[in-house]
Amino acid sequence: MNTAVKERPDRLVLDQTAIDAAASKDLDEGAVTPSYGPWRDDIVKLLNDALATELVCVLRYKRHYFTANGEASPAIADEFLVHANEESAHADKIAERIVQLGGEPDFSPKTLLDRSHAEYDESMDLQAMVRANLVAERIAVETYRQMIALIGDKDPTTRRMLEEILTDEEEHADELRDWLGH
């Protein structure tokens, strides 16, 4: 049970003493209070790996945007660019959250692919591009689902952010599935 909440049979009451103690301790930690406990470093690691994944996805979508050929390519290429920009926005949100948690976002190109859950792709065929992006989106969906389950109530703010990103990733996967066969 969270020490800041006192459960009584007739009502829920906050523990003001615990709130005051958490608020006044380690002020240099900003929003990160002691209730984050031992999980903060693990969450920052998970987020840095997600950041790497999003950055690799941005690069893959950008490459596909610029190299897509074929009859259906203009419309699909335009959507690749939309997806690239949305993945970039995800990366920004994740990096911001890492900083809020007192961590450092890892943008190092040297380790980007090693830390990413998804692969980079150099396909030249439009359908192969769509397929590669669909696989990457499905990887993202599964990765975010697992992260959400792992984090649970340990960090509700991060969990909600990941749930929002997951919604976008599921929409991307549905769009890509619809483009297969065009």
Side-chain angles (χ1 to χ4, degrees):
M1 181 173 90
N2 188 334
T3 59
V5 177
K6 295 179 184 177
E7 291 189 38
R8 295 181 14 190
D10 56 339
R11 61 183 215 197
L12 296 175
V13 180
L14 294 178
D15 182 345
Q16 190 63 45
T17 304
I19 291 170
D20 293 342
S24 61
K25 182 180 178 188
D26 298 321
L27 293 178
D28 60 330
E29 294 288 329
V32 180
T33 63
S35 64
Y36 280 85
W39 307 112
R40 181 174 59 171
D41 291 343
D42 290 342
I43 292 171
V44 167
K45 163 82 168 84
L46 289 170
L47 290 175
N48 262 317
D49 291 349
L51 175 61
T53 303
E54 294 292 348
L55 294 171
V56 167
C57 289
V58 169
L59 296 172
R60 187 187 57 256
Y61 273 124
K62 285 276 193 162
R63 183 181 196 289
H64 290 171
Y65 166 72
F66 286 108
T67 61
N69 292 313
E71 205 173 295
S73 68
I76 292 176
D78 286 346
E79 286 301 313
F80 286 161
L81 183 58
V82 168
H83 286 200
N85 291 334
E86 290 173 352
E87 304 295 356
S88 181
H90 297 163
D92 291 349
K93 285 181 185 179
I94 292 168
E96 180 179 13
R97 185 63 185 152
I98 290 167
V99 170
Q100 288 173 343
L101 291 171
E104 293 183 19
D106 187 349
F107 285 91
S108 173
K110 280 186 177 181
T111 61
L112 207 54
L113 277 173
D114 293 335
R115 293 180 291 116
S116 174
H117 301 288
E119 299 293 324
Y120 183 74
D121 179 76
E122 296 180 351
S123 297
M124 292 302 294
D125 172 73
L126 187 62
Q127 286 300 300
M129 291 176 186
V130 172
R131 221 175 346 279
N133 286 311
L134 178 54
V135 167
E137 293 294 354
R138 290 172 55 87
I139 288 169
V141 166
E142 183 58 26
T143 300
Y144 285 122
R145 285 185 185 282
Q146 288 187 25
M147 288 175 67
I148 290 163
L150 282 171
I151 292 171
D153 63 355
K154 295 170 187 73
D155 181 354
T157 302
T158 298
R159 185 192 68 238
R160 282 192 305 276
M161 177 195 70
L162 295 174
E163 289 168 346
E164 290 173 12
I165 293 172
L166 174 60
T167 299
D168 290 344
E169 304 296 8
E170 288 173 341
E171 289 172 8
H172 292 171
D174 284 344
E175 289 173 356
L176 289 160
R177 179 205 56 216
D178 292 346
W179 298 338
L180 280 176
H182 282 109

